[in-house]
C-alpha cells in the first residue's frame, strides 16, 4: 500500500522552513500533498490561486513534482484525507511555540477520525525561528528576506506588500 501524506497549512507564503519539511517528508512517504487548507483566523496576503501557482513553481524548480503535489480544500482536513484515501497528516514542529497548538490540532483530528495519524518532523535548526507573518513584517520594512523564502517568490511578496 502506498504511504500517502498530506502537509496542510496556509503557506502565505511558503518559506524555506516549509520546503525543508516537504523535502524530508518526500523521502519518508510515497506522495506528499501540500494542502492549502483554511485557517479561519487568518486573512491572507496572497489569494489561493496565487499561493498554488507559487508552490507549483517552487516544486518544479526543486524537481519535486511527481512525488509532491499541491491541492486546496475548504472544509475539514480529515474529510479531505478520507476523500483522497490519505491517512497521514505531516506537520513540522518548531521548539516551544508550536507544541500546544500542534498537540491540540493532532488530538482534534484524531478525535474526528482515528484512522488518520499525525506525524511530526522537527524543523531544521536553520529555520526554526521562521514564520510567514514575520517574513511579511520584515519585507514590509525593507529587510532582506532572501534567506527565508525561495527567490522566485521574493519579488512577488515585495510587490504585493508595496501595492497594499
Ligand atoms: N517553518 C517555518 N514556518 C513554519 C513552519 C516551518 N516548518 N511550519 C509552520 N510555520 C509557520 C507558518 O508560516 C505559519 O506562520 P504564520 O502564523 O505567521 O502565518 C505558522 O507557522 C503556522 O501555520 P501553518 O503551518 O500554515 O498552519 P496554520 O495554523 O496556518 O493552518 C491548518 C492550520 C490550515 C492546517 C488548520 O487550520 C486546518 O487543518 N484547517 C482545516 C480545517 C480543519 O480541519 N480544522 C480542524 C483541524 S484542528
Amino acid at each position: 500500500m502506498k504511504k500517502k501524506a498530506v502537509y496542510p497549512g496556509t503557506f502565505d507564503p511558503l518559506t524555506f522552513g516549509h520546503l525543508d519539511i516537504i523535502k524530508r517528508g518526500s523521502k519518508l512517504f510515497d506522495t506528499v500533498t501540500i494542502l492549502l487548507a483554511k485557517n479561519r483566523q487568518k486573512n491572507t496576503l496572497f489569494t489561493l490561486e496565487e499561493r498554488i501557482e507559487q508552490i507549483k513553481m517552487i516544486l518544479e524548480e526543486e524537481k519535486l513534482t511527481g512525488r509532491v503535489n499541491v491541492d486546496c480544500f475548504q472544509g475539514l482536513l480529515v474529510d479531505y484525507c478520507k476523500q483522497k484515501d490519505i491517512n497521514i497528516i505531516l506537520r513540522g514542529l518548531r521548539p516551544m511555540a508550536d507544541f500546544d497548538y500542534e498537540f491540540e490540532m493532532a488530538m482534534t483530528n484524531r478525535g474526528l477520525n482515528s484512522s488518520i495519524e499525525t506525524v511530526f518532523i522537527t524543523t531544521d535548526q536553520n529555520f526554526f525561528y521562521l514564520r510567514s507573518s514575520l517574513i511579511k513584517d520584515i519585507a514590509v520594512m525593507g529587510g532582506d528576506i532572501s534567506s527565508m523564502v525561495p527567490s522566485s517568490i521574493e519579488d512577488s511578496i515585495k510587490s504585493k506588500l508595496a501595492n497594499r
Side-chain angles (χ1 to χ4, degrees):
M1 199 175 89
K2 277 198 164 184
K3 278 186 280 171
K4 298 195 278 182
V6 65
Y7 181 44
T10 309
F11 305 108
D12 186 49
L14 181 135
T15 71
F16 278 138
H18 294 125
L19 193 54
D20 172 58
I21 302 293
I22 293 162
K23 284 181 181 169
R24 289 158 62 203
S26 71
K27 292 181 189 152
L28 295 175
F29 307 111
D30 295 305
T31 63
V32 175
T33 300
I34 303 169
L35 187 71
L36 282 89
K38 182 92 182 136
N39 178 336
R40 286 165 21 94
Q41 267 91 52
K42 285 185 181 174
N43 288 318
T44 60
L45 176 66
F46 291 103
T47 65
L48 194 61
E49 291 72 24
E50 286 169 333
R51 283 176 283 150
I52 289 176
E53 277 316 303
Q54 289 171 350
I55 293 172
K56 279 187 180 162
M57 189 169 65
I58 293 161
L59 293 181
E60 276 188 24
E61 284 168 3
E62 298 287 335
K63 303 197 177 10
L64 286 166
T65 42
R67 266 181 115 78
V68 185
N69 56 74
V70 59
D71 201 359
C72 61
F73 188 66
Q74 291 274 1
L76 286 176
L77 178 59
V78 291
D79 290 342
Y80 177 86
C81 292
K82 199 168 171 198
Q83 261 180 35
K84 302 285 177 177
D85 199 22
I86 294 174
N87 57 9
I88 300 162
I89 297 170
L90 172 65
R91 294 285 291 171
L93 197 62
R94 291 163 302 170
M96 290 149 328
D98 281 342
F99 188 76
D100 288 358
Y101 176 60
E102 293 297 335
F103 193 87
E104 188 183 285
M105 238 185 344
M107 287 299 123
T108 306
N109 285 325
R110 195 168 158 68
L112 291 167
N113 187 333
S114 60
S115 62
I116 300 169
E117 287 293 348
T118 302
V119 173
F120 294 103
I121 294 184
T122 51
T123 300
D124 187 276
Q125 59 180 357
N126 293 318
F127 307 123
F128 79 83
Y129 63 91
L130 287 185
R131 57 172 44 241
S132 302
S133 48
L134 184 80
I135 294 169
K136 287 178 275 192
D137 283 351
I138 295 169
V140 86
M141 288 182 265
D144 181 9
I145 56 167
S146 60
S147 63
M148 302 172 188
V149 293
S151 55
S152 49
I153 59 169
E154 208 183 311
D155 286 345
S156 48
I157 296 170
K158 288 179 189 160
S159 60
K160 190 87 172 186
L161 286 166
N163 292 323
R164 268 207 312 190

